Amino acid sequence: MSELKLSSQQLAAIAGEFGTPVYVYHAEKIKAQYERLTNAFSGINAKFFYACKALTNINILRYIKSIGCNVDCSSVNEVELAIYAGFERKNILYTSNNIHFSEIERAADLGVNINIDSLSNLEKFGKKYGHSYPVGIRLRPNIMAGGNLKISTGHAKSKFGIPLEQIEKVLDIAKQTNLRIQNLHIHTGSEIKDVEVFAKGMEVLFEIAHYFPELEVLDFGGGFKVPYKSDEEGTDMELLGQKMKEEFEWFENKYNRKLQAWFEPGKFIVSEAGYFITKVNVIKNSNGTVFAGVDSGLNHLIRPMFYGSYHQIENISNPAGPLNLYNVVGNICETDTFAEDRELNEIREEDLLVFYNAGAYGFEMASNYNSRFKPAEVLVKDGKAQLIRKRDSFDHLLYNQIELADL
Ligand code: LLP
């Protein structure tokens, strides 16, 4: 993991001030990740759209904008959040999946970049807008890659995008409705370490790019891997940037056309900038297993149970304690294991456990299951910790419910 980290002392102070469980985000780390991207791809004409599905707190969106990054949205509600955060429409990208055409019309009314992922919506779009609204097409590249099946999106059985083998149909629709296809898009999956997978995606797009005379952009989606374990490596961005430069140069020379590259990184930008702090409620010994039960659960961080994801955990209250094996578990009414047989410094009740890589798809996937409150969120910028979302309160549990009088 890289050096730019919040210290245990800072995290403990935040837990003391704002309580637990709490998500903490480190602004400067977000910026460093964005800068690593812009440096790695400086050899090509690249534009980055933060996939805000990873974390949509309005302050994070505004910070992302302030560092010069653009935004990718997966629902029209995210588009509206992005507009509310102050992004210019041309810097907002809307990449949807299996949505009703009316939502695409809404995005077009808002004037943002749109990627369409089905033939039927493409045809409707062509009939309504013809040449007047440049559009992108999400293709399914038929490449199997990604950290696990749930987050693999480009393979031949996936629901995402227009299958590559239907490209003739895309061209028919484009011709019949006089579409202006500006962008070809793929998103192969999340947590892809292997640079060759991105190279293969590039190959797929370059092979068909010349069919689209008005094409300006190749959009490679997101999916860069970040390290989750201390001895693990993420995608080699610098190598990928170099490879892309070579491929783009080859294409430009062969076809005498210049294209822009778009990327939609989510995890890469915010995962490592996030920490989730919990407090240990109960230590339980059972037939040789020691459970450390924390004041959280799969309702707050679902990734371990849903994807089998690994999050590094540290006992910041007892960093010099002897190492023991623990099952770190939650307080929810079904099995919610964060970590099994994990070696950690001796855990005592009331100790603070920090989960790393909690910036992406952490708070964003949290729920009120068991009528528990969603955690607070804190942003650390210039060394100063500020609350950016209050912990839920009882009102949130009843919000939007209609209490019938005659029961
Ligand atoms: N672009 C599109 C079209 C996507 O569907 C996604 C993620 C991204 C970009 C950003 O991918 P990233 O750079 O974050 O890997 N909840 C899961 C991850 C789901 C990703 C869904 N799509 C998790 O916690 O691992």
Side-chain angles (χ1 to χ4, degrees), residues 262-302:
W262 286 6
F263 298 94
E264 304 160 3
K267 278 180 189 155
F268 190 83
I269 297 209
V270 293
S271 176
E272 292 167 276
Y275 303 76
F276 183 48
I277 316 175
T278 62
K279 190 182 270 188
V280 178
N281 284 338
V282 169
I283 297 287
K284 203 182 270 184
N285 257 290
S286 160
N287 302 327
T289 301
V290 186
F291 292 99
V294 300
D295 60 354
S296 178
L298 59 75
N299 53 328
H300 294 158
L301 179 63
I302 201 172

Side-chain angles (χ1 to χ4, degrees), residues 51 53 72 151 187 190 222-223 264-267 303 307 361 365:
K53 67 192 83 183
D72 172 52
I151 56 175
H187 171 72
S190 194
E264 304 160 3
K267 278 180 189 155
R303 304 191 72 255
Y307 310 107
Y361 310 103
M365 294 179 82

Side-chain angles (χ1 to χ4, degrees), residues 168-228:
E168 293 290 339
K169 292 199 173 129
V170 170
L171 293 169
D172 282 351
I173 292 171
K175 200 166 156 203
Q176 276 159 23
T177 62
N178 192 21
L179 267 175
R180 184 167 150 207
I181 296 178
Q182 173 196 266
N183 176 359
L184 294 181
H185 167 280
I186 53 170
H187 171 72
T188 309
S190 194
E191 292 182 19
I192 302 171
K193 177 166 186 280
D194 187 0
V195 167
E196 286 311 313
V197 171
F198 294 98
K200 179 86 185 68
M202 231 179 339
E203 217 175 88
V204 164
L205 290 186
F206 277 132
E207 251 169 49
I208 54 170
H210 60 277
Y211 291 127
F212 299 89
E214 294 177 285
L215 196 68
E216 291 170 30
V217 174
L218 296 181
D219 177 348
F220 299 98
F224 306 130
K225 181 169 168 48
V226 290
Y228 278 81

Side-chain angles (χ1 to χ4, degrees), residues 27-204:
E28 284 77 14
K29 177 65 180 170
I30 293 177
K31 186 163 176 230
Q33 289 297 98
Y34 176 62
E35 283 170 357
R36 190 170 160 212
L37 282 178
T38 53
N39 287 334
F41 293 98
S42 60
I44 57 174
N45 183 3
K47 188 164 172 174
F48 301 94
F49 297 79
Y50 162 60
C52 72
K53 67 192 83 183
L55 177 60
T56 51
N57 186 293
I58 198 71
N59 301 283
I60 298 295
L61 295 183
R62 291 200 177 118
Y63 182 72
I64 293 275
K65 179 179 172 288
S66 80
I67 59 177
C69 187
N70 311 293
V71 66
D72 172 52
C73 303
S74 56
S75 69
V76 82
N77 298 339
E78 284 184 356
V79 170
E80 298 210 36
L81 273 177
I83 291 171
Y84 182 73
F87 286 91
E88 279 185 66
R89 321 272 162 138
K90 69 175 168 48
N91 295 332
I92 300 175
L93 175 59
Y94 176 41
T95 308
S96 59
N97 173 242
N98 292 334
I99 50 156
H100 193 266
F101 184 62
S102 55
E103 199 172 314
I104 296 178
E105 289 177 299
R106 176 85 188 112
D109 286 346
L110 294 170
V112 299
N113 297 289
I114 300 173
N115 285 329
I116 293 184
D117 94 319
S118 72
L119 288 174
S120 65
N121 275 335
L122 189 66
E123 189 164 12
K124 287 177 194 156
F125 193 88
K127 284 186 177 152
K128 174 147 188 187
Y129 301 99
H131 203 257
S132 69
Y133 202 113
V135 72
I137 297 176
R138 178 172 189 173
L139 293 165
R140 192 189 70 197
N142 298 337
I143 299 171
M144 176 56 114
N148 60 69
L149 194 56
K150 288 195 183 88
I151 56 175
S152 301
T153 47
H155 59 86
K157 289 195 171 158
S158 129
K159 66 165 184 161
F160 297 95
I162 299 170
L164 202 54
E165 54 276 21
Q166 292 175 10
I167 197 75
E168 293 290 339
K169 292 199 173 129
V170 170
L171 293 169
D172 282 351
I173 292 171
K175 200 166 156 203
Q176 276 159 23
T177 62
N178 192 21
L179 267 175
R180 184 167 150 207
I181 296 178
Q182 173 196 266
N183 176 359
L184 294 181
H185 167 280
I186 53 170
H187 171 72
T188 309
S190 194
E191 292 182 19
I192 302 171
K193 177 166 186 280
D194 187 0
V195 167
E196 286 311 313
V197 171
F198 294 98
K200 179 86 185 68
M202 231 179 339
E203 217 175 88
V204 164

